[in-house]
Amino acid sequence: MTQALQPWWKTATGYQIYPRSFCDSNGDGIGDLQGIISKLDHLRDLGVGFVWLSPVYASPMRDNGYDISDYRDIAPEFGTLEDFDQLVAQAQDKGIRIVMDLVVNHCSSDHDWFLKACETRDCPEHAYFYWRDQSPETNGPPDDQRACFGGSAWTWVEAVGRYYYGHFGPGQPDLNWHNPALRHEVFDMMNWWLDKGIGGFRIDVIELIGKDLDTRIYAEGPDMHRFIQDMHQACFAGRDIMTVGESWSAKPDTALLYCGDSRHEVDMVFNFNHIDAAWDQDKGRFGPNLFDLPTHKRILASWQDALANDGWNSLYLSNHDLPRPVSHYGCEGPYRVRSAKMLAMTMHLMKGTPFIYQGEEIGMTNAHFTEIGQFRDIETLGQLKEQSARGVSQQEFIAGANTNGRDNGRTPVQWDGTKHAGFTTGQPWIDVNTNYVDINVEEDRSDPNGVFAFYQNLIALRGELDIITKGSFALIGGDDPNVFAYERALDDQRLLVFGNFTDKTVHFQMPETRTTQGKIVLSNLYRDALPSGDHVTLAPFEAFACLLE
Ligand code: TEU
Ligand code: CA
């Protein structure tokens, strides 16, 4: 039987690097490109096929690079364009592609375009941004829209006598995608990077381009798909690359509009349905963690179903905006290692491309900061202001930020047990987690039963079993509150996956009595067979995968 060759990004595993926190090569306390180059063997050993590199462009770093002041240069604290070319070449030698982060919903208020746009209405750059007059009723901003990082989304510029729109904040003015010259500039820049041989783009908040400010439709606005299709035609068509758009508003019923084959937009979306389902309706991410396994399973399964025959799923639990998976879904205590493996297995064996976030491969935990002064994130500090004004105490705020705030994923990668975890010889820009003495790469990698070794096996298994990338997906026991179980199927093969999300021994009811035992292909304990009978007993945070042929 001949089967169509799959694109590389369907069989590869991705790895996200947040450069500021990955590895510092020169002792200034900030991770950099040479630091990444020095750790490429770590990634090759893990077996990843590509890196999603969070922004390294020139930036005043108010939002750590998600505020770009020059799209064709590298921030000096990260290195130079030569360092970047070296990274692409050396990664390629190790079989790893570099996928760039593309932040084009907005730029930095320090970008030349914006500086010019603020001087006069009579320059082309003025039209690269969204401007509105003051409201005749209030003599204030045109509407009451709040910015994501706090304050009004509108900022007054005296010299031009108008407000500009910044969805995230005044330091990140939104680019006017409705202006053809702006789109042309952006596409030109994207092709410039693609011509350097990068592996593709992760596109920041893609759901926000195409907004209609007058009707106040921000996400998935009326022109979004048209603009993504323009982008595809101008930059992606005919290139062997991978593109993934971040969309906080994509749902199973709109997913194919972004990534269906015939749409010519992007290959995948990062959706957040399984993430914000656990957020409090009013307090958002800073509220309590409302994780509920049946809801989580239903959401993941609905995405598997929606993209069963067209489009493609991205699979992930964490990134630089999210808490650490063991802290959020697993256990930080005695079952840390075991739960890290369980979370990895249940995520990676679904259909789609898995993404590992730096530090996840050794089971790093949340930050557990104790003082406001330890937080660095612009969103967290903006929320602190807003919530203090509403009477939330500092203590309460710190608890919320420690549960779900963005700095949890941004503490430096813990490489070894030496001072500052081997991340830097200087003073790190954000505190290293105090648990680095016990939890670090050197320690974990020296243990054949460590988290790293398990990820290696998981990634290797992906290369061995076609069923992981090609098989169909069906949830088993969707209502069970403790166990995430599913079945993959390809031709005569079945792959059963089980993960206990609790710290208790549980009995999972199978829908039918099994007689065949199958072969255990991966286990985070010492299981060697699937028990026959009508139920499976799982130890705390146990996970295993069983192949039936
Ligand atoms: O994030 C988009 C985004 O809307 C959320 O992550 C946001 O940070 C908020 O937490 C929702 O509560 C992307 C980037 O991943 C993020 O790091 C940037 O700050 C943001 O866009 C702006 O570029
Ligand atoms: Ca540095």
Side-chain angles (χ1 to χ4, degrees), residues 63 66 103 106 149 168 172 202 204-205 246 248 279 285 320-321 379 406 410:
D63 190 14
Y66 285 89
V103 190
H106 46 267
F149 300 154
F168 289 91
Q172 286 152 294
R202 173 267 185 189
D204 196 56
V205 286
E246 182 201 27
W248 283 75
W279 291 4
R285 69 186 309 154
H320 64 293
D321 295 329
E379 180 188 55
R406 307 202 303 180
R410 301 179 182 186

Side-chain angles (χ1 to χ4, degrees), residues 136-246:
E137 286 101 56
T138 65
N139 290 332
D143 60 46
D144 61 359
Q145 179 66 21
R146 308 290 293 171
C148 288
F149 300 154
S152 170
W154 295 98
T155 307
W156 178 255
V157 177
E158 187 61 40
V160 292
R162 278 177 164 178
Y163 286 94
Y164 69 89
Y165 184 76
H167 192 85
F168 289 91
Q172 286 152 294
D174 280 46
L175 289 166
N176 178 1
W177 273 76
H178 292 89
N179 180 284
L182 179 273
R183 293 203 299 278
H184 188 259
E185 290 263 19
V186 170
F187 299 158
D188 231 36
M189 172 275 288
M190 291 171 68
N191 279 318
W192 186 78
W193 285 103
L194 288 167
D195 290 343
K196 283 181 175 291
I198 63 169
F201 288 112
R202 173 267 185 189
I203 307 162
D204 196 56
V205 286
I206 201 167
E207 84 272 25
L208 295 178
I209 67 170
K211 62 183 75 71
D212 180 1
L213 289 174
D214 297 319
T215 56
R216 304 190 66 175
I217 300 175
Y218 305 99
E220 299 188 328
D223 294 308
M224 179 190 73
H225 287 296
R226 172 165 76 87
F227 292 155
I228 305 176
Q229 283 164 9
D230 283 357
M231 182 188 279
H232 183 109
Q233 205 183 358
C235 309
F236 307 157
R239 295 196 193 253
D240 182 22
I241 56 169
M242 185 278 289
T243 55
V244 48
E246 182 201 27

